[in-house]
Amino acid sequence: HAFVRMDARKKRHKSSEMSDPSSSAPDMDMATESSEAALAMASGLQAGAERAKQLLEREDYANAALEASGALQVLPSLADLAVVQGRALLQPLLDTVMTEDNAAPSRIQFKEAYEAFRLAAVMDPYNAEALMELERLSKLLELLPDDSMQAQTVVEVQEVGETDACGHNHSHAHARAPDTEWTADVIVIGGGAAGIGTAFSLTAIFGLDPSRVLVLERGEAVGTSFRSWPEEMRFISPSFNQQGWTKSFDLNSIAHGTSPAYTLHAQHPSGTQYADYINEIAEAAKLNVQLRTEVLSVAPIDGGGFNVRVRAAGEEVTKRSRYVVWAAGEFQYPREGGDCVGGAELCLHNSRVSSWASLDGDERVVIGGYESGVDAAVNLAKAGKQATVLASTATWNVQTVDPSSELAPYTADRLREVTAEGFSPSPKLLAPLRVQRVERAPEGGFNVVAAWKAAAATAAPTIRLLHSCALSRS
């Protein structure tokens, strides 16, 4: 506990220096000035709040938002004040810890200091001093006699209140004492973008103790599903660090104030790159992540909470949590059985491909013509392999206002590249087809049996995505 010993000695040394009354006068003047500055800040904040409320009542929403935003600029300064308060409350207790003739203080005595640091972290989640003090204090509290402090400092958000006539539920945050039987207050299943993003928000934004939020990841590292992407696969949504110009942030960000574009210097990150970005956030936020842990079952407990049965290191154990967040994603659960299409077991799902260029053979049939299917065709073509796409909808010729029903601009642009005149081998695009089954061919290889569908009647777009891709029928 070197940090405790060093700080306590420093405090005693300063106390001896201040024993001279004449030396304390400047400090008293400084304290008076600080108090006056704090009062002025509080007065200005209150005035800003009143102006924002008045503008809101007048339905001047734009100026109300601007006024509120300006008033909130003092939050980092208020967070600094909270850190100062916490340290001022903490230091005398540290002196007590280091004095051998006094009984060790209990955890409850550190409550005010802990709450001050936690308040600072809530007001400014990137206040390094607040986060550092919380971490140091948490380590110290683990060594002190247990009491009710934890019960009084852990806050969880619950939905309470009645639903009004408009269907809105008015909820409030309530403090609730955790029982010692709980493994964690929240268990997050999955250490990918959703899981790490949720854990970060709960701890860094909403102030839960990181030790009370447990992330369970089945893989060997954070972001395992992203690390399993084909080598050539990239994000279709572009990453761009906009923080210097607007209050928006990177489309692919999982935590406000972070940007994959800034961290990776990549506009369309690969799966491995994005996994590294997620891992950096988990490490920087000191999230409680347990790797190589497979969740076997989740069952509700009478009276509230959940039993989460897991297998780790060859052993099965049960963890108990008040809340469970399922963030396991879909990539690792592909539809590969016969309920998808007859003979699906003969096919290779794109989630099982490590690299399109490394696949055997020079010819592939791709079933499916949306993002994954077209991505496969593009990468096969660039690897010198002939690809034939069988799709129920000619997505390459669809242009709608619904981004989920047409190809992303990034995908369409790459498809134009490999279907342009002079590119070889250019993929064959066949639609509208309904694949019925896949079977082994007597002479080797496979037969894909499909039936033509009636083309849906749609209005011709003003600008077609691919002018060079006419439907091919045979």
Side-chain angles (χ1 to χ4, degrees), residues 13 70 72 90 95 104 205 241 249 253 262 310 327 330:
H13 179 61
L72 289 174
L90 178 62
D95 284 344
I205 306 301
N241 180 18
F249 54 96
S253 170
Y262 175 79
V310 304
E330 296 181 342

Side-chain angles (χ1 to χ4, degrees), residues 416-465:
R416 276 193 290 267
E417 178 185 350
V418 297
T419 55
E421 185 177 353
F423 188 97
S424 180
S426 183
K428 300 176 182 178
L429 309 175
L430 305 181
L433 283 168
R434 174 65 66 187
V435 174
Q436 297 177 334
R437 65 184 181 276
V438 180
E439 55 192 23
R440 292 188 183 277
E443 65 276 14
F446 303 90
N447 289 329
V448 181
V449 181
W452 289 105
K453 294 171 53 183
T458 56
T462 304
I463 301 176
R464 298 181 70 81
L465 293 178

Side-chain angles (χ1 to χ4, degrees), residues 191-193 196 222-223 226 254 274-283:
I196 297 301
V222 165
F226 290 102
I254 65 169
Y274 194 69
D276 290 340
Y277 156 74
I278 298 173
N279 187 63
E280 283 194 29
I281 290 179
E283 291 183 347

Side-chain angles (χ1 to χ4, degrees), residues 188-342:
V188 180
I189 301 174
I196 297 301
T198 297
F200 179 88
S201 295
L202 290 173
T203 55
I205 306 301
F206 294 104
L208 270 68
D209 188 330
S211 68
R212 304 300 301 165
V213 178
L214 176 61
V215 179
L216 303 178
E217 166 58 43
R218 180 168 62 178
E220 296 289 325
V222 165
T224 294
S225 291
F226 290 102
R227 299 183 193 279
S228 301
W229 277 14
E231 183 180 326
E232 298 88 351
M233 186 177 283
R234 297 292 185 272
F235 268 70
I236 59 175
S237 52
S239 281
F240 185 76
N241 180 18
Q242 310 180 64
Q243 295 182 75
W245 293 277
T246 73
K247 291 187 177 180
S248 302
F249 54 96
D250 197 313
L251 285 173
N252 298 317
S253 170
I254 65 169
H256 189 71
T258 70
S259 166
Y262 175 79
T263 302
L264 306 171
H265 206 211
Q267 186 178 30
H268 295 276
S270 67
T272 299
Q273 285 178 313
Y274 194 69
D276 290 340
Y277 156 74
I278 298 173
N279 187 63
E280 283 194 29
I281 290 179
E283 291 183 347
K286 301 188 185 303
L287 298 181
N288 184 15
V289 181
Q290 184 174 320
L291 301 174
R292 296 176 289 278
T293 302
E294 182 179 9
V295 174
L296 304 175
S297 65
V298 179
I301 301 172
D302 291 340
F306 298 88
N307 282 327
V308 181
R309 189 73 176 169
V310 304
R311 181 189 294 118
E315 296 184 2
E316 292 188 13
V317 297
T318 298
K319 298 179 181 295
R320 306 191 71 188
S321 174
R322 294 188 183 281
Y323 303 101
V324 172
V325 177
W326 182 266
E330 296 181 342
F331 183 82
Q332 58 187 317
Y333 303 109
R335 292 182 60 195
E336 300 174 290
D339 62 329
C340 177
V341 64

Side-chain angles (χ1 to χ4, degrees), residues 50-311:
E50 288 299 326
R51 286 193 297 271
K53 289 179 182 178
Q54 292 171 4
L55 290 167
L56 186 63
E57 290 173 357
R58 293 201 296 264
E59 298 185 357
D60 186 355
Y61 301 123
N63 285 321
L66 287 174
E67 186 69 39
S69 178
L72 289 174
Q73 295 303 311
V74 303
L75 282 180
S77 297
L78 292 176
D80 289 338
L81 284 176
V83 170
V84 171
Q85 180 191 32
R87 286 174 171 169
L89 293 168
L90 178 62
Q91 195 61 60
L93 294 171
L94 295 181
D95 284 344
T96 303
V97 172
M98 295 308 303
T99 304
E100 297 180 358
D101 55 349
N102 287 342
S106 62
R107 294 185 184 185
I108 193 64
Q109 292 177 264
F110 288 84
K111 178 180 182 298
E112 287 188 83
Y114 183 93
E115 287 296 330
F117 294 133
R118 193 172 69 86
L119 177 61
V122 170
M123 289 191 292
D124 182 5
Y126 306 104
N127 189 306
E129 292 184 341
L131 297 176
M132 177 189 69
E133 294 291 0
L134 278 173
E135 180 183 6
R136 294 166 66 189
L137 186 52
S138 296
K139 290 179 180 179
L140 174 62
L141 293 176
E142 291 175 1
L143 306 173
L144 297 178
D146 196 6
D147 51 27
S148 59
M149 173 179 172
Q150 188 183 35
Q152 297 188 39
T153 56
V154 174
V155 174
E156 60 188 37
V157 177
Q158 322 176 59
E159 293 294 328
V160 298
E162 298 180 353
T163 302
D164 61 20
C166 298
H168 299 115
N169 183 278
H170 301 284
S171 58
H172 308 275
H174 287 263
R176 182 175 175 183
D179 301 325
T180 56
E181 64 188 48
W182 300 110
T183 306
D185 289 319
V186 182
I187 287 180
V188 180
I189 301 174
I196 297 301
T198 297
F200 179 88
S201 295
L202 290 173
T203 55
I205 306 301
F206 294 104
L208 270 68
D209 188 330
S211 68
R212 304 300 301 165
V213 178
L214 176 61
V215 179
L216 303 178
E217 166 58 43
R218 180 168 62 178
E220 296 289 325
V222 165
T224 294
S225 291
F226 290 102
R227 299 183 193 279
S228 301
W229 277 14
E231 183 180 326
E232 298 88 351
M233 186 177 283
R234 297 292 185 272
F235 268 70
I236 59 175
S237 52
S239 281
F240 185 76
N241 180 18
Q242 310 180 64
Q243 295 182 75
W245 293 277
T246 73
K247 291 187 177 180
S248 302
F249 54 96
D250 197 313
L251 285 173
N252 298 317
S253 170
I254 65 169
H256 189 71
T258 70
S259 166
Y262 175 79
T263 302
L264 306 171
H265 206 211
Q267 186 178 30
H268 295 276
S270 67
T272 299
Q273 285 178 313
Y274 194 69
D276 290 340
Y277 156 74
I278 298 173
N279 187 63
E280 283 194 29
I281 290 179
E283 291 183 347
K286 301 188 185 303
L287 298 181
N288 184 15
V289 181
Q290 184 174 320
L291 301 174
R292 296 176 289 278
T293 302
E294 182 179 9
V295 174
L296 304 175
S297 65
V298 179
I301 301 172
D302 291 340
F306 298 88
N307 282 327
V308 181
R309 189 73 176 169
V310 304
R311 181 189 294 118

